[in-house]
Amino acid sequence: MVFILEGILYKVRESLNYVKPSEGAVAEYILQHPEKTVSMSVNQLASASYASPSAVMRYCQTLGYKGFKSFKLKLSGDLAVINLHDLEQETLSPDDSSDKIMSVITNTNIQSLYSSLQLLQKDQFTASYNYLVNAKKIDFYGVGSSFLIAYDAIQKFMRINKACTAYSDFHMQKVSAVNLNEDDVAVAVSYSGETQQIIDCVKIAQSKGAKVIAITKYADTHLSDIANAVLFVAAQEDEFRTAAMSSRIASLNVIDMLYTACAYEDYDNSLSHLNQTYNIIQQSQREDARNARNNKNNRET
């Protein structure tokens, strides 16, 4: 059964990083009392959050909704899905069973994926994969756990004959960036959107004329401000699961989306290259297995 989240509670939580104090008071109340909020009027929410009715309306518009009524409708839908599927983030304790750990972590990842789906803007996604389709070379930048996402990306895109790189060494990332040009694309992965090494590489890439795609959190960050296209991802945090852990799942999913969109844009050529890479890998595996058997036989004799 497919269920869709609007991702409102995530948007509200992240909005605390950039809204005005009067709107932040509204956001805080919604996060603490989401069920009460859906049955309130504008004036009631304003009174309960010690804000003005105009602040409530401005806040809803800041999140991209026409007004409080449309905001409540989406929030109500999210709460129904969360309650139906027990997706509300649970906390874990040291004496929890393995079953609960598996359930909570899985539900948390699911919530991140569906929240991210709602944060993705269609025009930004379309622009991103068009950049990648037409790119002669693609640089993927990531630091720490974000590098794992960058490395996963090159393993996918190389299989459809896209020239790409992902260096773990920051200096090599800069060397690669300085060799880009207007026919190339840089994909920067940074959940915080403020990782200085990534910002430096992005600026170098743009100075050479390359387009930049950012995969980052839903917020007004340095990276999202300077990128040519921005793909937002959501993350759910708890005591042991940092945003980097949760956003990794969502970011990997975005890479899968981009890869698939690019592959289908030139379906016949992509399929041909995929078959070639599959065959060469299978041949290599057969040769490795044969050599291993021969080595084993030689040792036994």
Tab-separated table of all heavy atoms in Angstrom, residues 79-103:
chain	number	residue	atom	x	y	z
A	79	LEU	N	-0.992	13.793	9.176
A	79	LEU	CA	-1.249	13.174	10.477
A	79	LEU	C	-2.022	11.877	10.315
A	79	LEU	O	-1.786	10.904	11.041
A	79	LEU	CB	-2.019	14.138	11.375
A	79	LEU	CG	-1.249	15.387	11.825
A	79	LEU	CD1	-2.159	16.317	12.622
A	79	LEU	CD2	-0.030	14.995	12.654
A	80	ALA	N	-2.943	11.836	9.346
A	80	ALA	CA	-3.711	10.613	9.107
A	80	ALA	C	-2.802	9.483	8.644
A	80	ALA	O	-2.917	8.340	9.098
A	80	ALA	CB	-4.803	10.878	8.074
A	81	VAL	N	-1.862	9.811	7.751
A	81	VAL	CA	-0.926	8.806	7.249
A	81	VAL	C	0.005	8.340	8.367
A	81	VAL	O	0.255	7.145	8.537
A	81	VAL	CB	-0.106	9.371	6.069
A	81	VAL	CG1	1.029	8.424	5.698
A	81	VAL	CG2	-1.009	9.596	4.871
A	82	ILE	N	0.513	9.292	9.142
A	82	ILE	CA	1.431	8.963	10.242
A	82	ILE	C	0.761	8.051	11.264
A	82	ILE	O	1.333	7.055	11.707
A	82	ILE	CB	1.939	10.256	10.910
A	82	ILE	CG1	2.911	10.976	9.984
A	82	ILE	CG2	2.623	9.951	12.244
A	82	ILE	CD1	3.277	12.375	10.427
A	83	ASN	N	-0.470	8.383	11.616
A	83	ASN	CA	-1.194	7.573	12.607
A	83	ASN	C	-1.558	6.201	12.055
A	83	ASN	O	-1.488	5.193	12.757
A	83	ASN	CB	-2.459	8.305	13.058
A	83	ASN	CG	-2.144	9.552	13.868
A	83	ASN	OD1	-1.111	9.623	14.512
A	83	ASN	ND2	-3.025	10.539	13.821
A	84	LEU	N	-1.925	6.153	10.779
A	84	LEU	CA	-2.327	4.882	10.174
A	84	LEU	C	-1.169	3.903	10.101
A	84	LEU	O	-1.330	2.706	10.334
A	84	LEU	CB	-2.891	5.132	8.770
A	84	LEU	CG	-3.343	3.889	7.973
A	84	LEU	CD1	-4.483	3.183	8.703
A	84	LEU	CD2	-3.783	4.290	6.574
A	85	HIS	N	0.013	4.413	9.807
A	85	HIS	CA	1.162	3.534	9.591
A	85	HIS	C	2.187	3.596	10.719
A	85	HIS	O	3.290	3.065	10.587
A	85	HIS	CB	1.850	3.899	8.264
A	85	HIS	CG	0.984	3.681	7.070
A	85	HIS	ND1	0.865	2.473	6.455
A	85	HIS	CD2	0.157	4.531	6.409
A	85	HIS	CE1	0.023	2.577	5.432
A	85	HIS	NE2	-0.420	3.811	5.391
A	86	ASP	N	1.801	4.255	11.826
A	86	ASP	CA	2.715	4.360	12.969
A	86	ASP	C	4.067	4.931	12.560
A	86	ASP	O	5.127	4.452	12.970
A	86	ASP	CB	2.935	2.988	13.630
A	86	ASP	CG	1.657	2.467	14.257
A	86	ASP	OD1	0.869	3.289	14.771
A	86	ASP	OD2	1.447	1.254	14.228
A	87	LEU	N	4.022	5.999	11.729
A	87	LEU	CA	5.266	6.559	11.223
A	87	LEU	C	5.836	7.658	12.115
A	87	LEU	O	6.908	8.159	11.852
A	87	LEU	CB	5.051	7.130	9.814
A	87	LEU	CG	4.900	6.092	8.710
A	87	LEU	CD1	4.699	6.790	7.375
A	87	LEU	CD2	6.088	5.170	8.646
A	88	GLU	N	5.088	8.064	13.112
A	88	GLU	CA	5.624	9.102	13.990
A	88	GLU	C	6.933	8.609	14.595
A	88	GLU	O	7.038	7.454	15.023
A	88	GLU	CB	4.621	9.419	15.101
A	88	GLU	CG	5.000	10.624	15.938
A	88	GLU	CD	5.053	11.898	15.140
A	88	GLU	OE1	4.069	12.251	14.479
A	88	GLU	OE2	6.120	12.537	15.168
A	89	GLN	N	7.906	9.470	14.592
A	89	GLN	CA	9.223	9.049	15.055
A	89	GLN	C	9.179	8.605	16.512
A	89	GLN	O	8.796	9.355	17.391
A	89	GLN	CB	10.219	10.191	14.894
A	89	GLN	CG	11.641	9.775	15.210
A	89	GLN	CD	12.609	10.901	14.944
A	89	GLN	OE1	12.227	11.962	14.483
A	89	GLN	NE2	13.862	10.676	15.244
A	90	GLU	N	9.564	7.363	16.749
A	90	GLU	CA	9.629	6.836	18.101
A	90	GLU	C	11.051	6.959	18.630
A	90	GLU	O	12.003	7.056	17.871
A	90	GLU	CB	9.207	5.361	18.103
A	90	GLU	CG	7.772	5.117	17.666
A	90	GLU	CD	7.439	3.637	17.719
A	90	GLU	OE1	7.348	3.093	18.834
A	90	GLU	OE2	7.303	3.024	16.653
A	91	THR	N	11.173	6.944	19.918
A	91	THR	CA	12.500	6.962	20.524
A	91	THR	C	12.856	5.555	20.974
A	91	THR	O	11.986	4.751	21.313
A	91	THR	CB	12.540	7.915	21.731
A	91	THR	OG1	11.547	7.514	22.683
A	91	THR	CG2	12.276	9.343	21.284
A	92	LEU	N	14.140	5.288	20.951
A	92	LEU	CA	14.628	3.983	21.377
A	92	LEU	C	15.329	4.101	22.723
A	92	LEU	O	15.907	5.137	23.052
A	92	LEU	CB	15.616	3.432	20.337
A	92	LEU	CG	15.014	3.037	18.979
A	92	LEU	CD1	16.134	2.757	17.985
A	92	LEU	CD2	14.104	1.823	19.123
A	93	SER	N	15.274	3.046	23.489
A	93	SER	CA	15.980	2.983	24.772
A	93	SER	C	16.872	1.747	24.788
A	93	SER	O	16.665	0.822	23.992
A	93	SER	CB	14.969	2.935	25.931
A	93	SER	OG	14.140	1.789	25.822
A	94	PRO	N	17.878	1.706	25.668
A	94	PRO	CA	18.844	0.598	25.665
A	94	PRO	C	18.213	-0.776	25.830
A	94	PRO	O	18.784	-1.774	25.387
A	94	PRO	CB	19.760	0.928	26.855
A	94	PRO	CG	19.666	2.400	26.983
A	94	PRO	CD	18.253	2.757	26.634
A	95	ASP	N	17.042	-0.883	26.484
A	95	ASP	CA	16.444	-2.188	26.724
A	95	ASP	C	15.405	-2.568	25.670
A	95	ASP	O	14.681	-3.545	25.829
A	95	ASP	CB	15.813	-2.238	28.122
A	95	ASP	CG	14.745	-1.165	28.318
A	95	ASP	OD1	14.684	-0.241	27.478
A	95	ASP	OD2	13.987	-1.259	29.304
A	96	ASP	N	15.329	-1.805	24.569
A	96	ASP	CA	14.369	-2.138	23.510
A	96	ASP	C	14.765	-3.430	22.806
A	96	ASP	O	15.950	-3.761	22.682
A	96	ASP	CB	14.283	-1.000	22.484
A	96	ASP	CG	13.422	0.148	22.976
A	96	ASP	OD1	12.533	-0.116	23.809
A	96	ASP	OD2	13.628	1.291	22.541
A	97	SER	N	13.767	-4.120	22.306
A	97	SER	CA	14.003	-5.386	21.610
A	97	SER	C	14.539	-5.136	20.208
A	97	SER	O	14.434	-4.027	19.669
A	97	SER	CB	12.686	-6.166	21.506
A	97	SER	OG	11.773	-5.482	20.660
A	98	SER	N	15.076	-6.196	19.617
A	98	SER	CA	15.561	-6.100	18.240
A	98	SER	C	14.417	-5.769	17.288
A	98	SER	O	14.593	-5.015	16.325
A	98	SER	CB	16.217	-7.416	17.821
A	98	SER	OG	17.351	-7.691	18.610
A	99	ASP	N	13.245	-6.330	17.557
A	99	ASP	CA	12.084	-6.060	16.714
A	99	ASP	C	11.764	-4.570	16.687
A	99	ASP	O	11.473	-4.005	15.634
A	99	ASP	CB	10.863	-6.837	17.215
A	99	ASP	CG	10.946	-8.312	16.898
A	99	ASP	OD1	11.767	-8.668	16.018
A	99	ASP	OD2	10.213	-9.100	17.516
A	100	LYS	N	11.813	-3.924	17.868
A	100	LYS	CA	11.491	-2.502	17.909
A	100	LYS	C	12.568	-1.683	17.204
A	100	LYS	O	12.250	-0.722	16.486
A	100	LYS	CB	11.333	-2.008	19.352
A	100	LYS	CG	10.910	-0.542	19.397
A	100	LYS	CD	10.586	-0.044	20.795
A	100	LYS	CE	10.146	1.423	20.748
A	100	LYS	NZ	9.863	1.970	22.085
A	101	ILE	N	13.820	-2.046	17.385
A	101	ILE	CA	14.904	-1.328	16.705
A	101	ILE	C	14.714	-1.405	15.197
A	101	ILE	O	14.807	-0.397	14.488
A	101	ILE	CB	16.274	-1.893	17.109
A	101	ILE	CG1	16.557	-1.578	18.581
A	101	ILE	CG2	17.380	-1.318	16.223
A	101	ILE	CD1	17.813	-2.229	19.118
A	102	MET	N	14.423	-2.601	14.692
A	102	MET	CA	14.226	-2.766	13.252
A	102	MET	C	13.042	-1.940	12.762
A	102	MET	O	13.101	-1.288	11.715
A	102	MET	CB	14.015	-4.246	12.913
A	102	MET	CG	15.260	-5.095	13.097
A	102	MET	SD	15.056	-6.780	12.462
A	102	MET	CE	13.814	-7.432	13.610
A	103	SER	N	11.961	-1.949	13.533
A	103	SER	CA	10.753	-1.227	13.143
A	103	SER	C	10.957	0.281	13.144
A	103	SER	O	10.591	0.984	12.197
A	103	SER	CB	9.605	-1.611	14.076
A	103	SER	OG	8.443	-0.853	13.795
